[in-house]
Amino acid sequence: MTIVVVGGGKVGFHLAQTLLAHEHEPRLVEIDRARCEELANRLDIPVTCGDGTLIDALESAGALDADALVSVTGKDEDNLIACQLAKKRFRVDKTVARVNNPKNVEVMRRLGVDIPVSATDNIARLLEREIDASAFRLLASINQGEASLNELELPDDYRLNGVKLSELQLPMDSIIVSVTREGKLIVPRGNTQLLSGDRMVVLAKNETMRAILQELRLPLET
């Protein structure tokens, strides 16, 4: 995924590192020139020196080709503007805004930000949940977003059709709760086979979503 990160402070730097580790393609936008040079030296990613609330800077950063934009500056109004520009001008599918004042969360949501986040430590995790796990349908969030209960439907031409659960190496922090097949509920065991068209309910920590999709041989994007 190509993700534009507006704001090169500690949060932006950490977020870019996390996205790189998860094999995404982050692009940073930072207004301070000295900070831009530092980021360029520490991270092997494109860094645009400019104001992320301006069209030119976002265009230079590649917003036209981005799958998501995350604005994590210290100013809520700047984060809002960056997300609005990404959505309306560049048609970016997913926008995430750091909210420094928790009272602004609902306002940001009403003004078009897809994911306003007041707890900055959760931004990377939430972004992973929204993008990498887009094949899942969220049923419930657990322990303040640390884990979630999700539904996943196997395609009609499932590559591993007939595979037994015991033959898979799913992450330790995940479990298949149920399988629904032709309207019938199955409580899965190790010898339960997965068949094309099955609907599964999966309980997992959010950081395991990518690994689950990989082990099930399902695409990371939908």
Side-chain angles (χ1 to χ4, degrees):
M1 289 284 183
T2 300
I3 302 166
V4 174
V5 178
V6 177
K10 291 182 179 179
V11 175
F13 175 76
H14 173 72
L15 178 59
Q17 280 189 319
T18 302
L19 294 174
L20 275 174
H22 289 207
E23 300 179 358
H24 294 295
E25 298 178 11
R27 302 171 179 177
L28 270 171
V29 180
E30 167 59 37
I31 195 169
D32 183 83
R33 185 166 297 278
R35 181 62 176 168
C36 286
E37 294 178 0
E38 181 182 353
L39 292 168
N41 290 330
R42 297 178 67 183
L43 296 170
D44 188 20
I45 62 173
V47 177
T48 299
C49 191
D51 186 342
T53 65
L54 299 178
I55 292 173
D56 289 348
L58 295 181
E59 188 171 12
S60 297
L64 281 170
D65 303 319
D67 300 293
L69 179 139
V70 189
S71 190
V72 291
T73 75
K75 297 181 179 180
D76 287 356
E77 56 269 31
D78 288 351
N79 295 334
L80 173 61
I81 293 170
C83 287
Q84 287 180 325
L85 284 176
K87 205 76 174 178
K88 296 178 180 179
R89 180 62 182 262
F90 298 102
R91 306 299 181 189
V92 175
D93 288 336
K94 189 70 63 176
T95 58
V96 182
R98 172 188 179 186
V99 185
N100 300 281
N101 184 347
K103 294 180 180 179
N104 291 335
V105 170
E106 288 304 318
V107 174
M108 288 243 190
R109 189 175 285 114
R110 287 199 301 269
L111 293 177
V113 176
D114 293 316
I115 311 173
V117 185
S118 59
T120 56
D121 289 341
N122 293 332
I123 290 176
R125 187 174 70 211
L126 282 170
L127 190 60
E128 286 291 314
R129 174 64 185 82
E130 289 292 327
I131 294 176
D132 281 339
S134 57
F136 292 94
R137 185 170 71 86
L138 179 65
L139 301 178
S141 183
I142 299 171
N143 196 29
Q144 297 181 331
E146 180 181 1
S148 54
L149 191 68
N150 305 273
E151 186 178 68
L152 174 65
E153 185 170 354
L154 299 179
D156 292 336
D157 56 349
Y158 182 46
R159 292 171 56 187
L160 299 183
N161 186 61
V163 68
K164 294 180 180 179
L165 288 180
S166 59
E167 297 172 337
L168 298 172
Q169 294 184 351
L170 295 170
M172 290 293 294
D173 291 326
S174 67
I175 184 171
I176 296 180
V177 178
S178 67
V179 176
T180 302
R181 182 179 301 150
E182 297 180 349
K184 296 182 179 179
L185 181 69
I186 300 170
V187 178
R189 297 289 186 268
N191 62 352
T192 300
Q193 292 179 300
L194 297 182
L195 303 180
S196 298
D198 282 354
R199 285 189 296 110
M200 302 184 299
V201 173
V202 182
L203 174 63
K205 286 189 175 181
N206 288 333
E207 63 263 25
T208 67
M209 295 299 187
R210 170 176 283 253
I212 292 171
L213 292 178
Q214 289 175 330
E215 183 61 23
L216 292 172
R217 304 297 192 274
L218 294 172
L220 295 177
E221 303 174 31
T222 60

